[in-house]
Amino acid sequence: MRSRRSTSALALSGAVAIGLLAGCASDDPADPAPGGEPAGEEKVTLTVVSLIPGSEQAAFDAFEERVAQFEERYPNIDVEGVEYEWRATTFAAQLAGGTLPDVFEIPLTDAKTLIENGQLADLDEAFAQLDYAEEFNEALLDAGRGEDGHVYAIPAKSVYGVALHYNRELFEQAGLDPDDPPSTWDEVREYAKQIKDATGVAGYATMATNNTGGWQLTAATYSRGGRVQEATDDGTYVATLDNPATQAHLEMLEAMRWEDDSLLADTTLDWSTINQAFAAGQLAMYTTGSDVLNALMETNGLDPAVYGMTAMPLEGADAGVLVGGTLAAVTAQADDATKDAAIKWIDHWYLSTLRDQEQAVADAKVRFEAGQGVGTPVLPIFSREQYEQELAWKADYINVPLDQMTGYTDVMFDQPVVGEPSRATQETYALLDVPVQAVLTDRNADIPALLAAANEQAQALLDE
Amino acid sequence: MSATDVQSAADVVPRGRSGPSPDGVAARPARPARRRRSPAEWVRRGGLSTVVLALPLLVIFGVFSWLPIGRAVVMSFQETNLLTAHWVGLDNFRAVLADPLLPVAVRNTAWFALLALVFGYPVPLVGAVLMSTLRRMRGLFSVLAYLPVVVPPVVAVLLWKFFYDPRPEGVFNEILGWVGLGPFPWLQDQTAAMPSLVLEATWAAAGGTVIIYLAALTSVPPELYDAAEVDGASIWGKIRHVTLPHLRGVLLITFILQIIGTAQVFLEPYLFTGGGPANATVTVLLLIYRYAFGQSLGSDYGMATALSLMLAVFLALLSIAWFRLTRNWSTS
């Protein structure tokens, strides 16, 4: 599950029409369309995901500049950006209500079901226009394929591994070395307490609502060698929410909350609100996707100097890093002209910046000049070589403090990765929100009983 | 007119009984046979214009209220993702009844309704009675009481979320700290969360009810108070024997409206806590929302409509029972 980005309750109708911008041109206006196909004459208006509601003005300016570049390249396509943040609890309502933009983002794990439900447009023909269609990481691309083998959703934006993010300033204030972040869960607890005792600020926090509590608990479970569901040989799935790793992590959270008082006691934190709290200096450490710095800079105005990232502590035989990612998809109602425009936009906004030197540099320049993150570590959508090549192109514009993330970047390609639970993903996460909230709010929370209850319900969902 | 007149006037109103009585039917005067009117005459007498005038209303109600209601009833017997549907009989109802969260949601909703009744019901009444005794500045107080109703609910909740900050420097905790209380966890506690929601809901809704009571109070003839005063009644005596009996009808209506309203509470738990912590504020409506939209792939529209239907039937039965029960009270 990628970043819980969706419209917030306040911004359900917050569609912002981005006007045409004059005066910004790509370096080469004669750039051919992907696949070399000339743009048609018919005027198409395409609504697309712009940024998370509440993003910094500079980020919107950068977006608008990229839109202007696109519209110059394809004069017959009129792009309108819509503020959007995918969130489990509002996505279905937007989908059912038809309020999603033409091109929207979904988590990797949701694609199969949406395709099965007929809720995504078949992009197979349009996808074939991309001259790099054959070069995607096959496992990622497969997540967006239907049973008919057609492509319905395209890996875009980023693929991330969950990592531990921390506030270097608070580390220093607590007498900790910010270049030596914790590497075991025991150290996380120890550091959190030291930070709380020295600064009065919560040393650690966890997301807890809108399924994100379960998402991060699952990530922690993987990092301790556990799994929340297992496939059997006969094709059925067994829920294992009550595994020892999940239990151990909840026990740690409970001890941090009630014994150490080092855990931020807030059950209303989700992907975006925990970012806010982190940027506001209300917590020192939390886990989320490796690419969060982009959002912290775009939306929360974080000064990257205080930011640090390190790898998730991996403990136990089967320990692994939870990976997730974002796919770009198009609404099922879209006609061929819209689909064609959509694939051009997906190429321009999400993918060409990873593959085409000119586009990569143009994008990096725009982002750099707007003070947005360039070079934030993510996992490759194509290949490691392509990713390293892309970083080399952008080298002059990289403005994120990569030397403050070596704890992650040194090992990101070596860590074992584990995909999200493949069945009833969001439901499983929702069920796991409950024990997370319980240990945050109840000193005597009965962890085994909570997990047993959640497991029973998860199994019922898997048996459906 | 004195209090006695009012009493005697009330006495001549026949006490209703539930169900049509055979006597009543027999006693009804026979209607004169209706003369068939020609279409032209019907138009001339305004029949057409009546229909034309009513049409927009009927269409709007039909399309936006009755059609969705009918559709929901149909969907409760289907498994559907809004694109395809097939009939599943009573499966949705069985699935809802087997959901371990249902009893939790029902209990939470009942708890909310009870708390809202205990705190939320008397507050506007007391407020209105006090305001009605004011000789000056009544308008100002009405405005102040009604102001929260004008604040958009989402804004109000976000504001209160801020007040409910569990840290010692949170607004409420800071204020309570001055008198040595707290800090309280407010929304971050499974026991305190629901009363916190009720507090905000009461603040948000009281103004509307105050206005209704104030309007009803203006219908109380001032002579009654004068008469009561002559008879040596205290303030409490006047309220008890003059004010409350006059408000009885309104009170009975607002009571059932409040029950229906609180049984459908959604906004506060959705925006404040999302049903948490640990399902402590999951209400029936929030559960319906979760069935339908709660998961990103939410396709349990069948279960959602089934539970909606069950709630609607329950509230309808409750309302009927309430009106039967109180029919005598309200006319006396």
Side-chain angles (χ1 to χ4, degrees), chain B residues 132-325:
Chain B
S132 71
T133 61
L134 291 174
R135 302 224 179 266
R136 286 187 303 153
M137 308 240 281
R138 195 189 293 180
L140 175 70
F141 282 101
S142 308
V143 168
L144 288 179
Y146 198 68
L147 214 52
V149 184
V150 183
V151 178
V154 174
V155 175
V157 168
L158 292 180
L159 201 67
W160 277 69
K161 236 177 165 170
F162 190 61
F163 296 164
Y164 281 145
D165 191 331
R167 291 172 300 167
E169 56 268 33
V171 176
F172 283 166
N173 281 340
E174 180 83 43
I175 294 168
L176 291 171
W178 296 338
V179 287
L181 293 173
F184 296 103
W186 302 110
L187 303 167
Q188 302 299 331
D189 181 275
Q190 294 172 40
T191 321
M194 195 60 101
S196 304
L197 299 193
V198 172
L199 190 62
E200 190 276 343
T202 303
W203 169 86
T209 324
V210 166
I211 297 295
I212 295 174
Y213 289 150
L214 273 178
L217 283 170
T218 57
S219 71
V220 183
E223 299 88 348
L224 294 186
Y225 290 111
D226 298 339
E229 209 159 296
V230 170
D231 289 344
S234 64
I235 290 180
W236 170 239
K238 282 193 275 183
I239 290 174
R240 192 174 154 211
H241 295 291
V242 182
T243 312
L244 287 183
H246 269 87
L247 285 182
R248 192 176 286 158
V250 176
L251 282 171
L252 293 175
I253 292 288
T254 52
F255 182 85
I256 192 69
L257 286 181
Q258 165 142 8
I259 297 283
I260 292 173
T262 50
Q264 299 186 25
V265 62
F266 172 74
L267 184 95
E268 284 84 3
Y270 177 68
L271 288 176
F272 269 122
T273 57
N279 292 331
T281 56
V282 170
T283 60
V284 173
L285 241 72
L286 194 61
L287 192 59
I288 292 171
Y289 178 84
R290 282 192 184 177
Y291 286 154
F293 307 114
Q295 298 315 321
S296 58
L297 307 167
S299 52
D300 248 330
Y301 301 111
M303 273 174 85
T305 45
L307 182 52
S308 307
L309 202 62
M310 281 150 65
L311 179 66
V313 168
F314 169 77
L315 289 177
L317 291 177
L318 188 77
S319 305
I320 292 170
W322 177 250
F323 283 117
R324 288 264 164 96
L325 184 72

Side-chain angles (χ1 to χ4, degrees), chain A residues 94-142:
Chain A
Q94 290 175 286
L95 186 67
T99 56
L100 289 172
D102 294 327
V103 182
F104 55 93
E105 297 162 5
I106 54 171
L108 215 57
T109 43
D110 282 5
K112 293 273 185 215
T113 314
L114 291 169
I115 296 166
E116 218 169 277
N117 290 351
Q119 290 166 308
L120 304 183
D122 183 342
L123 297 178
D124 213 46
E125 257 176 58
F127 176 74
Q129 287 179 33
L130 298 172
D131 47 19
Y132 47 83
E134 304 293 317
E135 291 173 40
F136 281 88
N137 174 329
E138 198 48 35
L140 283 177
L141 190 58
D142 205 42

Side-chain angles (χ1 to χ4, degrees), chain A residues 373-415:
Chain A
V374 178
T376 304
V378 289
L379 294 172
I381 285 180
F382 299 99
S383 63
R384 182 175 174 176
E385 293 71 36
Q386 182 67 49
Y387 174 71
E388 282 164 354
Q389 172 71 68
E390 172 212 337
L391 282 187
W393 289 333
K394 293 179 174 175
D396 287 348
Y397 297 108
I398 288 179
N399 60 356
V400 298
L402 286 174
D403 55 342
Q404 291 163 205
M405 310 183 203
T406 50
Y408 179 72
T409 51
D410 286 352
V411 299
M412 62 188 270
F413 289 110
D414 305 326
Q415 287 184 309

Side-chain angles (χ1 to χ4, degrees), chain A residues 189 263 304 359 361 373:
Chain A
R189 180 177 170 188
L263 184 65
Q359 290 291 319
V361 172

